[in-house]
Amino acid sequence: MRQRDPEYFEDTIRMSPTTFDLLLSKVNHRLEKFSFRKPISLSCRLFLTLMYLAHGTPVAILARLFKIGESTVRNITLEVCQVLWDVLKQEYMPVPTEQDWRKYAEEFYEKWNFPNCCGSIDGEHIAIQCPANSGSAFFNHKGFHSIVLMAVCSANYEFLMVDIGGFGGNSDGGILSASEFGKRLLQNNLNFPRPNILPYSSVEFPFYIVGDAAFPLKNNLMRPYPGMNLPHVKDNFNTRLSIARRTIENAFEILVARWRVLSKTIDLQPTNVVIIAEACVILHNFLKKHTNDYISEQEGELRSHTSPLGSVSAAELHIGNNSSRNAYRLRDVLAEYVLNY
């Protein structure tokens, strides 16, 4: 491996040597090898993996650059990705407590002026080669094969919870209801704080996350009103919710821009693609915490560019009568509140 030149490091991976050494110190106990033959160094294996994730560099090219076999490159990248997720997830994506949810809600209100919102949820398709004998399970409505990265993010583009590996042919709402996180959300078992009084009012309201029309309307999951030419109170609510929901789209844009392997079609089995995506997500949170310029000024300005709510395809639309009357009532209450405050 070439000597670690600081400018080369920062230009290729946007990670300073100091941050690299910090990352290495956290995972080196799991990467250490004991063999009669001299193993590839820990720093080399980690750097190789970061190059693969940051650029999606083909395995054949990495093998030539590092003068090792292609199968060795594949084994190293998958092993290191698994270690990154296993070691870092407890520190950089812990299960949120009630106090954590309250903090996230305060950040959403301060930055996006949407009260009691704990997070924003959406799904991102990761392109893959069609697995053998999979039929149309992975073929999505966008016209390619994929697995889905379902995630909840904070107001600051930090990933709070993820579920990776859903079939690309399924809707976001269907993937949510089948995931462990979704089951806990729909059963109201996520340690959300008890309802409180909305700012500058006497209205008591529960805590919730926001999603688009592909998700069901629940007491703790707000989605926009359907239809066109809506009354002003509903149209205003949809606009305000879209601004808050835009955070997860921005988070995905930053994730894919930094870890470009996710922008390419990955020619691996779905289970291995899950390992790669998990590593990218946890590295996103790690670098966001330890690198000041991980999110550039241009990306930080994404928050001010909120596009109107687009139409939702039939494949994405969550259809059903499983939303309670109380959920509809709560959305109407919140719509009236955001119109007046």
CSV table of all heavy atoms in Angstrom, one decimal, residues 198-257:
chain,number,residue,atom,x,y,z
A,198,LEU,N,-48.1,21.0,22.8
A,198,LEU,CA,-47.3,21.7,21.8
A,198,LEU,C,-47.0,23.1,22.1
A,198,LEU,O,-47.7,23.8,22.8
A,198,LEU,CB,-48.2,21.6,20.5
A,198,LEU,CG,-48.5,20.3,19.9
A,198,LEU,CD1,-49.4,20.4,18.7
A,198,LEU,CD2,-47.3,19.5,19.6
A,199,PRO,N,-45.8,23.6,21.6
A,199,PRO,CA,-45.4,25.0,22.0
A,199,PRO,C,-46.4,26.0,21.7
A,199,PRO,O,-47.1,26.0,20.7
A,199,PRO,CB,-44.1,25.1,21.1
A,199,PRO,CG,-43.7,23.8,20.8
A,199,PRO,CD,-44.9,22.9,20.7
A,200,TYR,N,-46.5,27.0,22.7
A,200,TYR,CA,-47.4,28.1,22.5
A,200,TYR,C,-48.9,27.7,22.4
A,200,TYR,O,-49.7,28.5,21.7
A,200,TYR,CB,-47.0,29.0,21.4
A,200,TYR,CG,-45.5,29.4,21.4
A,200,TYR,CD1,-44.6,28.8,20.5
A,200,TYR,CD2,-45.0,30.2,22.4
A,200,TYR,CE1,-43.3,29.1,20.5
A,200,TYR,CE2,-43.6,30.5,22.4
A,200,TYR,CZ,-42.8,30.0,21.5
A,200,TYR,OH,-41.5,30.2,21.5
A,201,SER,N,-49.3,26.6,22.9
A,201,SER,CA,-50.7,26.2,22.8
A,201,SER,C,-51.1,25.4,24.0
A,201,SER,O,-50.3,25.1,24.9
A,201,SER,CB,-50.9,25.3,21.5
A,201,SER,OG,-50.4,24.0,21.7
A,202,SER,N,-52.3,24.9,24.0
A,202,SER,CA,-52.8,24.0,25.1
A,202,SER,C,-53.1,22.7,24.5
A,202,SER,O,-53.8,21.9,25.1
A,202,SER,CB,-54.1,24.6,25.7
A,202,SER,OG,-55.1,24.8,24.7
A,203,VAL,N,-52.6,22.4,23.3
A,203,VAL,CA,-52.9,21.2,22.6
A,203,VAL,C,-51.9,20.1,23.0
A,203,VAL,O,-50.7,20.2,22.9
A,203,VAL,CB,-52.8,21.4,21.0
A,203,VAL,CG1,-53.1,20.0,20.3
A,203,VAL,CG2,-53.8,22.4,20.6
A,204,GLU,N,-52.5,19.0,23.5
A,204,GLU,CA,-51.6,17.8,23.8
A,204,GLU,C,-51.5,16.9,22.6
A,204,GLU,O,-52.5,16.6,22.0
A,204,GLU,CB,-52.2,17.0,25.0
A,204,GLU,CG,-51.3,15.9,25.5
A,204,GLU,CD,-51.9,15.2,26.7
A,204,GLU,OE1,-52.8,14.4,26.6
A,204,GLU,OE2,-51.4,15.4,27.8
A,205,PHE,N,-50.3,16.5,22.3
A,205,PHE,CA,-50.1,15.7,21.1
A,205,PHE,C,-49.0,14.7,21.3
A,205,PHE,O,-48.0,14.9,22.0
A,205,PHE,CB,-49.7,16.7,19.9
A,205,PHE,CG,-50.0,16.1,18.6
A,205,PHE,CD1,-51.2,16.3,18.0
A,205,PHE,CD2,-49.0,15.5,17.8
A,205,PHE,CE1,-51.5,15.8,16.8
A,205,PHE,CE2,-49.3,15.0,16.6
A,205,PHE,CZ,-50.6,15.1,16.0
A,206,PRO,N,-49.1,13.5,20.7
A,206,PRO,CA,-48.1,12.4,20.8
A,206,PRO,C,-46.9,12.7,20.0
A,206,PRO,O,-46.9,13.6,19.1
A,206,PRO,CB,-48.8,11.2,20.3
A,206,PRO,CG,-49.8,11.7,19.4
A,206,PRO,CD,-50.3,13.0,19.9
A,207,PHE,N,-45.8,12.0,20.3
A,207,PHE,CA,-44.6,12.1,19.5
A,207,PHE,C,-44.7,11.1,18.3
A,207,PHE,O,-45.4,10.1,18.4
A,207,PHE,CB,-43.4,11.8,20.3
A,207,PHE,CG,-43.0,12.8,21.3
A,207,PHE,CD1,-43.7,13.0,22.5
A,207,PHE,CD2,-42.0,13.8,21.0
A,207,PHE,CE1,-43.3,13.9,23.4
A,207,PHE,CE2,-41.7,14.8,21.9
A,207,PHE,CZ,-42.4,14.9,23.1
A,208,TYR,N,-44.0,11.4,17.2
A,208,TYR,CA,-44.3,10.7,16.0
A,208,TYR,C,-43.1,10.8,15.0
A,208,TYR,O,-42.2,11.7,15.3
A,208,TYR,CB,-45.5,11.2,15.2
A,208,TYR,CG,-45.5,12.7,15.0
A,208,TYR,CD1,-44.9,13.1,13.8
A,208,TYR,CD2,-45.9,13.6,15.9
A,208,TYR,CE1,-44.8,14.5,13.5
A,208,TYR,CE2,-45.8,15.0,15.7
A,208,TYR,CZ,-45.3,15.4,14.5
A,208,TYR,OH,-45.2,16.8,14.2
A,209,ILE,N,-43.1,10.1,13.9
A,209,ILE,CA,-42.1,10.3,12.8
A,209,ILE,C,-42.9,10.6,11.6
A,209,ILE,O,-44.1,10.4,11.6
A,209,ILE,CB,-41.2,9.1,12.6
A,209,ILE,CG1,-42.0,7.8,12.2
A,209,ILE,CG2,-40.3,8.8,13.8
A,209,ILE,CD1,-41.2,6.6,11.9
A,210,VAL,N,-42.3,11.2,10.6
A,210,VAL,CA,-43.0,11.5,9.4
A,210,VAL,C,-42.5,10.7,8.2
A,210,VAL,O,-41.3,10.3,8.1
A,210,VAL,CB,-42.8,13.1,9.1
A,210,VAL,CG1,-43.5,13.9,10.1
A,210,VAL,CG2,-41.3,13.4,9.0
A,211,GLY,N,-43.4,10.4,7.3
A,211,GLY,CA,-43.1,9.7,6.1
A,211,GLY,C,-44.0,10.2,4.9
A,211,GLY,O,-44.8,11.0,5.1
A,212,ASP,N,-43.8,9.6,3.7
A,212,ASP,CA,-44.5,10.0,2.6
A,212,ASP,C,-45.8,9.1,2.5
A,212,ASP,O,-46.1,8.3,3.4
A,212,ASP,CB,-43.7,10.0,1.3
A,212,ASP,CG,-43.1,8.6,1.0
A,212,ASP,OD1,-43.7,7.6,1.5
A,212,ASP,OD2,-42.2,8.5,0.2
A,213,ALA,N,-46.5,9.2,1.3
A,213,ALA,CA,-47.8,8.6,1.1
A,213,ALA,C,-47.6,7.1,1.0
A,213,ALA,O,-48.6,6.3,1.1
A,213,ALA,CB,-48.5,9.1,-0.1
A,214,ALA,N,-46.4,6.5,0.9
A,214,ALA,CA,-46.2,5.1,0.9
A,214,ALA,C,-46.4,4.4,2.2
A,214,ALA,O,-46.5,3.2,2.3
A,214,ALA,CB,-44.8,4.8,0.3
A,215,PHE,N,-46.4,5.2,3.3
A,215,PHE,CA,-46.5,4.7,4.6
A,215,PHE,C,-47.9,4.8,5.2
A,215,PHE,O,-48.7,5.8,4.8
A,215,PHE,CB,-45.5,5.4,5.6
A,215,PHE,CG,-44.1,5.1,5.2
A,215,PHE,CD1,-43.4,6.0,4.4
A,215,PHE,CD2,-43.5,4.0,5.6
A,215,PHE,CE1,-42.1,5.8,4.1
A,215,PHE,CE2,-42.1,3.7,5.2
A,215,PHE,CZ,-41.5,4.6,4.5
A,216,PRO,N,-48.3,4.0,6.1
A,216,PRO,CA,-49.7,4.1,6.7
A,216,PRO,C,-49.8,5.3,7.7
A,216,PRO,O,-48.7,5.7,8.3
A,216,PRO,CB,-49.9,2.8,7.4
A,216,PRO,CG,-48.5,2.4,7.8
A,216,PRO,CD,-47.6,2.8,6.7
A,217,LEU,N,-50.9,5.8,7.9
A,217,LEU,CA,-51.2,6.9,8.8
A,217,LEU,C,-51.4,6.2,10.2
A,217,LEU,O,-52.4,5.4,10.3
A,217,LEU,CB,-52.3,7.7,8.4
A,217,LEU,CG,-52.8,8.9,9.4
A,217,LEU,CD1,-51.7,9.9,9.5
A,217,LEU,CD2,-54.1,9.5,8.9
A,218,LYS,N,-50.6,6.6,11.2
A,218,LYS,CA,-50.8,6.1,12.5
A,218,LYS,C,-50.7,7.2,13.5
A,218,LYS,O,-50.2,8.3,13.2
A,218,LYS,CB,-49.7,5.0,12.8
A,218,LYS,CG,-49.8,3.8,11.9
A,218,LYS,CD,-51.0,2.9,12.2
A,218,LYS,CE,-51.0,1.7,11.3
A,218,LYS,NZ,-52.2,0.9,11.5
A,219,ASN,N,-51.0,6.9,14.8
A,219,ASN,CA,-50.9,7.9,15.8
A,219,ASN,C,-49.4,8.4,15.9
A,219,ASN,O,-49.2,9.6,16.2
A,219,ASN,CB,-51.3,7.4,17.2
A,219,ASN,CG,-52.8,7.1,17.2
A,219,ASN,OD1,-53.5,7.4,16.3
A,219,ASN,ND2,-53.3,6.6,18.3
A,220,ASN,N,-48.5,7.5,15.7
A,220,ASN,CA,-47.0,7.9,15.8
A,220,ASN,C,-46.3,7.9,14.4
A,220,ASN,O,-45.1,7.8,14.4
A,220,ASN,CB,-46.3,6.9,16.7
A,220,ASN,CG,-46.5,5.5,16.3
A,220,ASN,OD1,-47.0,5.2,15.3
A,220,ASN,ND2,-46.0,4.5,17.2
A,221,LEU,N,-47.1,8.0,13.4
A,221,LEU,CA,-46.5,8.0,12.0
A,221,LEU,C,-47.4,8.9,11.1
A,221,LEU,O,-48.5,8.5,10.7
A,221,LEU,CB,-46.4,6.6,11.4
A,221,LEU,CG,-45.9,6.5,9.9
A,221,LEU,CD1,-44.6,7.2,9.8
A,221,LEU,CD2,-45.8,5.1,9.5
A,222,MET,N,-47.0,10.2,10.9
A,222,MET,CA,-47.7,11.1,10.1
A,222,MET,C,-47.3,11.1,8.7
A,222,MET,O,-46.2,11.0,8.3
A,222,MET,CB,-47.5,12.5,10.7
A,222,MET,CG,-48.1,12.8,12.1
A,222,MET,SD,-49.9,12.9,12.1
A,222,MET,CE,-50.3,11.5,13.0
A,223,ARG,N,-48.3,11.1,7.8
A,223,ARG,CA,-48.1,11.2,6.4
A,223,ARG,C,-49.0,12.3,5.8
A,223,ARG,O,-49.9,12.8,6.4
A,223,ARG,CB,-48.4,9.8,5.7
A,223,ARG,CG,-49.9,9.5,5.5
A,223,ARG,CD,-50.1,8.3,4.7
A,223,ARG,NE,-51.4,8.2,4.2
A,223,ARG,CZ,-51.8,7.2,3.4
A,223,ARG,NH1,-51.0,6.2,3.0
A,223,ARG,NH2,-53.1,7.2,2.9
A,224,PRO,N,-48.7,12.7,4.5
A,224,PRO,CA,-49.5,13.8,3.9
A,224,PRO,C,-50.9,13.5,3.6
A,224,PRO,O,-51.2,12.3,3.5
A,224,PRO,CB,-48.6,14.2,2.7
A,224,PRO,CG,-47.9,12.9,2.3
A,224,PRO,CD,-47.6,12.3,3.6
A,225,TYR,N,-51.7,14.5,3.4
A,225,TYR,CA,-53.1,14.3,2.9
A,225,TYR,C,-53.0,13.9,1.5
A,225,TYR,O,-52.2,14.4,0.7
A,225,TYR,CB,-53.9,15.6,3.0
A,225,TYR,CG,-54.3,15.9,4.4
A,225,TYR,CD1,-53.6,16.9,5.2
A,225,TYR,CD2,-55.4,15.4,5.0
A,225,TYR,CE1,-53.9,17.2,6.4
A,225,TYR,CE2,-55.8,15.7,6.3
A,225,TYR,CZ,-55.1,16.7,7.0
A,225,TYR,OH,-55.5,17.0,8.3
A,226,PRO,N,-53.8,12.9,1.0
A,226,PRO,CA,-53.8,12.6,-0.4
A,226,PRO,C,-54.6,13.6,-1.2
A,226,PRO,O,-55.5,14.3,-0.7
A,226,PRO,CB,-54.5,11.2,-0.4
A,226,PRO,CG,-55.4,11.3,0.8
A,226,PRO,CD,-54.7,12.1,1.8
A,227,GLY,N,-54.4,13.6,-2.5
A,227,GLY,CA,-55.2,14.4,-3.4
A,227,GLY,C,-54.6,15.6,-3.9
A,227,GLY,O,-53.5,16.0,-3.4
A,228,MET,N,-55.3,16.3,-4.8
A,228,MET,CA,-54.8,17.6,-5.4
A,228,MET,C,-55.8,18.7,-5.0
A,228,MET,O,-57.0,18.4,-4.6
A,228,MET,CB,-54.7,17.5,-6.9
A,228,MET,CG,-53.7,16.3,-7.4
A,228,MET,SD,-52.0,16.7,-7.0
A,228,MET,CE,-51.7,18.0,-8.1
A,229,ASN,N,-55.4,19.9,-5.2
A,229,ASN,CA,-56.3,21.1,-5.0
A,229,ASN,C,-57.0,21.0,-3.6
A,229,ASN,O,-58.2,21.1,-3.4
A,229,ASN,CB,-57.4,21.1,-6.1
A,229,ASN,CG,-56.9,21.3,-7.4
A,229,ASN,OD1,-55.9,22.0,-7.6
A,229,ASN,ND2,-57.4,20.6,-8.4
A,230,LEU,N,-56.1,20.7,-2.6
A,230,LEU,CA,-56.6,20.6,-1.2
A,230,LEU,C,-56.9,21.9,-0.6
A,230,LEU,O,-56.4,23.0,-1.0
A,230,LEU,CB,-55.5,19.9,-0.4
A,230,LEU,CG,-55.1,18.5,-0.8
A,230,LEU,CD1,-53.9,18.0,0.0
A,230,LEU,CD2,-56.3,17.5,-0.6
A,231,PRO,N,-57.8,21.9,0.5
A,231,PRO,CA,-58.0,23.2,1.2
A,231,PRO,C,-56.7,23.7,1.8
A,231,PRO,O,-55.7,22.9,2.0
A,231,PRO,CB,-58.9,22.7,2.3
A,231,PRO,CG,-59.6,21.5,1.8
A,231,PRO,CD,-58.6,20.8,1.0
A,232,HIS,N,-56.6,25.0,2.1
A,232,HIS,CA,-55.4,25.6,2.5
A,232,HIS,C,-54.8,25.0,3.7
A,232,HIS,O,-53.5,24.8,3.7
A,232,HIS,CB,-55.6,27.1,2.8
A,232,HIS,CG,-54.4,27.8,3.2
A,232,HIS,ND1,-53.2,27.9,2.5
A,232,HIS,CD2,-54.2,28.5,4.4
A,232,HIS,CE1,-52.3,28.6,3.2
A,232,HIS,NE2,-52.9,29.0,4.3
A,233,VAL,N,-55.6,24.6,4.7
A,233,VAL,CA,-55.0,24.0,5.9
A,233,VAL,C,-54.3,22.7,5.6
A,233,VAL,O,-53.3,22.4,6.2
A,233,VAL,CB,-56.1,23.8,6.9
A,233,VAL,CG1,-57.2,22.8,6.5
A,233,VAL,CG2,-55.6,23.3,8.3
A,234,LYS,N,-54.9,21.9,4.7
A,234,LYS,CA,-54.3,20.6,4.3
A,234,LYS,C,-53.0,20.8,3.4
A,234,LYS,O,-52.0,20.1,3.6
A,234,LYS,CB,-55.3,19.7,3.6
A,234,LYS,CG,-56.4,19.2,4.6
A,234,LYS,CD,-57.4,18.3,3.9
A,234,LYS,CE,-58.5,17.8,4.8
A,234,LYS,NZ,-59.4,16.8,4.1
A,235,ASP,N,-53.2,21.7,2.5
A,235,ASP,CA,-52.0,22.0,1.6
A,235,ASP,C,-50.8,22.5,2.4
A,235,ASP,O,-49.7,22.1,2.1
A,235,ASP,CB,-52.5,23.0,0.5
A,235,ASP,CG,-51.4,23.2,-0.5
A,235,ASP,OD1,-51.0,22.2,-1.2
A,235,ASP,OD2,-50.9,24.4,-0.6
A,236,ASN,N,-51.1,23.4,3.3
A,236,ASN,CA,-50.0,23.9,4.2
A,236,ASN,C,-49.4,22.8,5.0
A,236,ASN,O,-48.2,22.8,5.1
A,236,ASN,CB,-50.6,25.0,5.1
A,236,ASN,CG,-49.6,25.5,6.1
A,236,ASN,OD1,-48.7,26.3,5.7
A,236,ASN,ND2,-49.7,25.1,7.3
A,237,PHE,N,-50.2,21.9,5.5
A,237,PHE,CA,-49.7,20.8,6.3
A,237,PHE,C,-48.8,19.9,5.4
A,237,PHE,O,-47.7,19.5,5.9
A,237,PHE,CB,-50.8,19.9,6.8
A,237,PHE,CG,-50.4,18.7,7.5
A,237,PHE,CD1,-49.9,18.7,8.8
A,237,PHE,CD2,-50.4,17.5,6.8
A,237,PHE,CE1,-49.5,17.5,9.5
A,237,PHE,CE2,-50.0,16.3,7.5
A,237,PHE,CZ,-49.5,16.3,8.8
A,238,ASN,N,-49.2,19.6,4.2
A,238,ASN,CA,-48.4,18.8,3.3
A,238,ASN,C,-47.0,19.5,3.0
A,238,ASN,O,-46.0,18.8,3.0
A,238,ASN,CB,-49.1,18.5,2.0
A,238,ASN,CG,-50.2,17.5,2.1
A,238,ASN,OD1,-50.4,16.9,3.2
A,238,ASN,ND2,-50.9,17.2,1.0
A,239,THR,N,-47.1,20.8,2.8
A,239,THR,CA,-45.8,21.5,2.6
A,239,THR,C,-44.9,21.4,3.8
A,239,THR,O,-43.7,21.2,3.6
A,239,THR,CB,-46.1,23.0,2.2
A,239,THR,OG1,-46.9,23.0,1.0
A,239,THR,CG2,-44.8,23.7,1.9
A,240,ARG,N,-45.4,21.7,5.0
A,240,ARG,CA,-44.6,21.7,6.2
A,240,ARG,C,-44.1,20.3,6.5
A,240,ARG,O,-42.9,20.1,6.9
A,240,ARG,CB,-45.4,22.2,7.4
A,240,ARG,CG,-45.9,23.7,7.3
A,240,ARG,CD,-44.7,24.6,7.7
A,240,ARG,NE,-44.4,24.4,9.1
A,240,ARG,CZ,-45.1,25.1,10.1
A,240,ARG,NH1,-46.0,25.9,9.7
A,240,ARG,NH2,-44.8,24.9,11.3
A,241,LEU,N,-44.9,19.3,6.2
A,241,LEU,CA,-44.5,17.9,6.4
A,241,LEU,C,-43.4,17.5,5.4
A,241,LEU,O,-42.4,16.8,5.8
A,241,LEU,CB,-45.6,16.9,6.3
A,241,LEU,CG,-45.3,15.4,6.6
A,241,LEU,CD1,-46.5,14.8,7.4
A,241,LEU,CD2,-45.0,14.6,5.4
A,242,SER,N,-43.5,18.0,4.2
A,242,SER,CA,-42.5,17.7,3.2
A,242,SER,C,-41.2,18.3,3.6
A,242,SER,O,-40.1,17.7,3.3
A,242,SER,CB,-43.0,18.3,1.8
A,242,SER,OG,-42.0,18.1,0.8
A,243,ILE,N,-41.2,19.5,4.2
A,243,ILE,CA,-39.9,20.1,4.6
A,243,ILE,C,-39.2,19.2,5.7
A,243,ILE,O,-38.0,19.0,5.6
A,243,ILE,CB,-40.2,21.5,5.1
A,243,ILE,CG1,-40.6,22.4,4.0
A,243,ILE,CG2,-38.9,22.1,5.8
A,243,ILE,CD1,-41.1,23.8,4.5
A,244,ALA,N,-40.0,18.7,6.6
A,244,ALA,CA,-39.5,17.9,7.7
A,244,ALA,C,-39.0,16.5,7.1
A,244,ALA,O,-38.0,16.0,7.4
A,244,ALA,CB,-40.5,17.7,8.8
A,245,ARG,N,-39.8,16.0,6.2
A,245,ARG,CA,-39.5,14.7,5.6
A,245,ARG,C,-38.3,14.7,4.7
A,245,ARG,O,-37.6,13.7,4.4
A,245,ARG,CB,-40.7,14.2,4.8
A,245,ARG,CG,-40.6,12.7,4.3
A,245,ARG,CD,-41.8,12.3,3.5
A,245,ARG,NE,-42.0,13.2,2.3
A,245,ARG,CZ,-41.3,13.1,1.2
A,245,ARG,NH1,-40.4,12.1,1.1
A,245,ARG,NH2,-41.5,13.9,0.2
A,246,ARG,N,-38.0,15.9,4.1
A,246,ARG,CA,-36.9,16.1,3.2
A,246,ARG,C,-35.6,15.7,3.9
A,246,ARG,O,-34.6,15.3,3.2
A,246,ARG,CB,-36.8,17.5,2.7
A,246,ARG,CG,-35.7,17.8,1.7
A,246,ARG,CD,-35.9,17.1,0.4
A,246,ARG,NE,-34.9,17.5,-0.5
A,246,ARG,CZ,-34.6,16.9,-1.7
A,246,ARG,NH1,-35.4,15.9,-2.0
A,246,ARG,NH2,-33.7,17.3,-2.5
A,247,THR,N,-35.5,15.7,5.2
A,247,THR,CA,-34.2,15.3,5.9
A,247,THR,C,-33.8,13.9,5.5
A,247,THR,O,-32.6,13.7,5.3
A,247,THR,CB,-34.4,15.5,7.4
A,247,THR,OG1,-35.5,14.7,7.8
A,247,THR,CG2,-34.6,16.9,7.8
A,248,ILE,N,-34.7,13.0,5.4
A,248,ILE,CA,-34.2,11.6,5.1
A,248,ILE,C,-33.8,11.5,3.6
A,248,ILE,O,-32.8,10.8,3.3
A,248,ILE,CB,-35.4,10.6,5.4
A,248,ILE,CG1,-34.9,9.2,5.2
A,248,ILE,CG2,-36.6,10.8,4.5
A,248,ILE,CD1,-33.8,8.7,6.1
A,249,GLU,N,-34.4,12.3,2.7
A,249,GLU,CA,-33.9,12.3,1.4
A,249,GLU,C,-32.5,12.9,1.3
A,249,GLU,O,-31.7,12.4,0.5
A,249,GLU,CB,-34.9,13.0,0.5
A,249,GLU,CG,-36.3,12.3,0.4
A,249,GLU,CD,-37.3,13.0,-0.5
A,249,GLU,OE1,-36.8,14.0,-1.1
A,249,GLU,OE2,-38.4,12.6,-0.6
A,250,ASN,N,-32.3,14.0,2.0
A,250,ASN,CA,-31.0,14.6,2.0
A,250,ASN,C,-30.0,13.6,2.6
A,250,ASN,O,-28.8,13.6,2.1
A,250,ASN,CB,-31.0,15.9,2.9
A,250,ASN,CG,-31.8,17.0,2.2
A,250,ASN,OD1,-32.2,16.9,1.0
A,250,ASN,ND2,-32.0,18.1,2.9
A,251,ALA,N,-30.3,12.9,3.7
A,251,ALA,CA,-29.4,12.0,4.3
A,251,ALA,C,-29.0,10.9,3.3
A,251,ALA,O,-27.8,10.5,3.2
A,251,ALA,CB,-30.1,11.3,5.5
A,252,PHE,N,-30.0,10.4,2.5
A,252,PHE,CA,-29.6,9.4,1.5
A,252,PHE,C,-28.7,10.0,0.4
A,252,PHE,O,-27.8,9.3,0.0
A,252,PHE,CB,-30.9,8.8,0.9
A,252,PHE,CG,-31.7,7.9,1.7
A,252,PHE,CD1,-33.1,7.8,1.7
A,252,PHE,CD2,-31.0,6.9,2.5
A,252,PHE,CE1,-33.8,6.9,2.5
A,252,PHE,CE2,-31.7,6.0,3.3
A,252,PHE,CZ,-33.1,6.0,3.3
A,253,GLU,N,-29.0,11.2,0.0
A,253,GLU,CA,-28.2,11.8,-1.0
A,253,GLU,C,-26.7,12.0,-0.5
A,253,GLU,O,-25.8,11.7,-1.3
A,253,GLU,CB,-28.7,13.2,-1.4
A,253,GLU,CG,-30.1,13.1,-2.1
A,253,GLU,CD,-30.7,14.5,-2.3
A,253,GLU,OE1,-30.0,15.5,-2.0
A,253,GLU,OE2,-31.8,14.6,-2.8
A,254,ILE,N,-26.6,12.4,0.7
A,254,ILE,CA,-25.2,12.5,1.3
A,254,ILE,C,-24.5,11.2,1.4
A,254,ILE,O,-23.4,11.0,1.1
A,254,ILE,CB,-25.3,13.2,2.7
A,254,ILE,CG1,-25.8,14.6,2.5
A,254,ILE,CG2,-23.9,13.2,3.3
A,254,ILE,CD1,-26.2,15.3,3.8
A,255,LEU,N,-25.3,10.2,1.9
A,255,LEU,CA,-24.8,8.8,2.0
A,255,LEU,C,-24.2,8.3,0.7
A,255,LEU,O,-23.1,7.8,0.6
A,255,LEU,CB,-25.8,7.9,2.6
A,255,LEU,CG,-25.5,6.4,2.7
A,255,LEU,CD1,-24.5,6.2,3.9
A,255,LEU,CD2,-26.7,5.5,2.9
A,256,VAL,N,-25.0,8.4,-0.4
A,256,VAL,CA,-24.7,7.8,-1.7
A,256,VAL,C,-23.5,8.6,-2.3
A,256,VAL,O,-22.6,8.1,-3.0
A,256,VAL,CB,-25.9,7.8,-2.6
A,256,VAL,CG1,-25.5,7.4,-4.0
A,256,VAL,CG2,-26.9,6.8,-2.1
A,257,ALA,N,-23.5,10.0,-2.0
A,257,ALA,CA,-22.4,10.8,-2.6
A,257,ALA,C,-21.1,10.5,-1.9
A,257,ALA,O,-20.1,10.5,-2.6
A,257,ALA,CB,-22.8,12.3,-2.4
